[in-house]
Amino acid sequence: MAAEPKRRATSIQLTPDQVAALRGLIYDHYRANPRPLPWRDTTDPYPILVSEIMLQQTQVDRVREKYVAFLATFPDLATLAAAPLPAVLTAWQGLGYNRRAIALHRCAQTVMAEHDGRLPAEIATLETLPGIGPYTARAIAAFAFRQPTVFIETNIRTVFIHQFCHDRHGVHDREILPLVEQVLDRDNPRDWYYALMDYGVMLKKAHPNPGRRSAHHVRQSPFKGSNRELRSRILKQVLAVPACTAAELAAMLGVEPAAVEKNLVQLAREGFIVERDGCHFIG
């Protein structure tokens, strides 16, 4: 997902009639085909925070089930902040990119310690919290606090490339953001962004994905057989059987000891794992 970069003036200036027509098109589709996503049923900032962190680099269908189970285990910021890290990582298993779980855990602890247990509404303050970058801060501001912020994610990008950048490749977000700002429904930014995202999902199914014509499009490498998969397997094994040595982990996983040792060092740097007397534990 892309955050809001420094913008330049767009050459496209929409008339009020064009803005109204585009909004009508997108809202009509939204009202007829809304996606039933559980985080859209709440305005509580905490569940919205959880959903936005989970949705980073992860498909909606994978998030949907994990989101409900995670909130059942950690129903509020205080519960999450007080939970031991192994419990948080166990609940996160299956979502991938486990560093997000650590960031979310630290975010909850920071909010409890420094913000009286209330997720701040100010974008600048949100951006200081672990795991929250420019995009996530603006999404939380729009969905939890109904602030008319301007931001882009992959489905929003798809809509504007499809509508305004016909047959062009390498389209930069700085060209799109002024258009996002022009058509933003400032009276109802929450539903407007949900509608935009749903329209983008429809376009990806109906057309060769317009988002691939973005300068920011990156094709994700396969997970199977990657080092990301090995990291995930190591972490899962340490959660299941703590106090293993690197050699024991390598034997249990059936991989080269050098690869395990290299990843253990990196996982320790990132705060996942600690080593005591040659044995490894969740940090």
Side-chain angles (χ1 to χ4, degrees):
M1 295 180 176
E4 181 176 357
K6 184 176 180 180
R7 301 201 296 273
R8 70 182 182 187
T10 179
S11 59
I12 302 175
Q13 296 296 322
L14 303 178
T15 67
D17 285 346
Q18 288 175 314
V19 170
L22 182 56
R23 284 186 189 166
L25 174 71
I26 290 169
Y27 271 136
D28 285 349
H29 176 268
Y30 179 60
R31 294 183 184 108
N33 306 278
R35 287 188 294 169
L37 302 176
W39 47 88
R40 293 185 177 182
D41 295 332
T42 181
T43 57
D44 183 343
Y46 169 66
I48 291 171
L49 165 68
V50 171
S51 71
E52 288 299 326
I53 299 294
M54 286 185 169
L55 286 163
Q56 293 171 0
Q57 298 178 284
T58 304
Q59 294 180 342
V60 166
D61 288 342
R62 289 179 62 197
V63 170
R64 197 191 317 252
E65 183 177 343
K66 282 290 180 179
Y67 167 86
V68 173
F70 191 91
L71 287 181
T73 305
F74 309 109
D76 50 46
L77 278 163
T79 304
L80 178 59
L85 181 58
V88 178
L89 289 171
T90 298
W92 194 270
Q93 288 298 293
L95 279 173
Y97 298 98
N98 291 288
R99 63 172 61 91
R100 293 176 300 163
I102 291 182
L104 179 57
H105 190 224
R106 290 175 177 167
C107 179
Q109 292 173 330
T110 302
V111 172
M112 295 306 299
E114 300 179 9
H115 299 282
D116 298 321
R118 297 173 64 87
L119 195 68
E122 299 78 17
I123 289 172
T125 307
L126 284 167
E127 288 183 357
T128 68
L129 297 174
I132 300 183
Y135 164 80
T136 301
R138 286 162 177 77
I140 291 170
F143 298 138
F145 302 108
R146 298 185 183 277
Q147 294 181 28
T149 62
V150 179
F151 60 85
I152 288 181
E153 54 82 68
T154 180
N155 294 311
I156 294 171
R157 184 182 292 122
T158 293
V159 174
F160 285 88
I161 289 177
H162 176 77
Q163 292 291 132
F164 299 104
C165 304
H166 303 290
D167 302 321
R168 288 185 53 207
H169 293 266
V171 180
H172 200 281
D173 283 354
R174 63 174 171 261
E175 299 179 57
I176 298 172
L177 278 161
L179 294 168
V180 176
E181 188 166 19
Q182 287 182 63
V183 301
L184 174 60
D185 184 352
R186 295 181 176 275
D187 294 329
N188 190 4
R190 175 184 162 99
D191 281 353
W192 171 244
Y193 278 119
Y194 287 152
L196 265 180
M197 291 174 180
D198 286 5
Y199 197 74
V201 170
M202 179 276 294
L203 288 175
K204 288 179 179 179
K205 295 176 180 178
H207 304 273
N209 185 357
R212 293 175 184 166
R213 295 192 275 116
S214 166
H216 309 275
H217 176 72
V218 177
R219 186 181 294 276
Q220 192 174 58
S221 59
F223 179 71
K224 186 69 174 176
S226 68
N227 194 65
R228 287 190 295 125
E229 183 188 32
L230 178 55
R231 281 169 54 96
S232 178
R233 291 178 63 203
I234 291 170
L235 184 62
K236 187 175 182 178
Q237 192 66 45
V238 176
L239 281 167
V241 187
C244 292
T245 66
E248 288 170 337
L249 282 167
M252 286 185 283
L253 296 171
V255 297
E256 289 295 324
V260 172
E261 290 171 3
K262 178 181 177 181
N263 278 286
L264 285 170
V265 170
Q266 186 62 37
L267 287 166
R269 285 200 195 106
E270 296 173 13
F272 286 99
I273 286 174
V274 295
E275 181 183 352
R276 293 193 292 271
D277 299 324
C279 297
H280 297 85
F281 306 81
I282 297 300

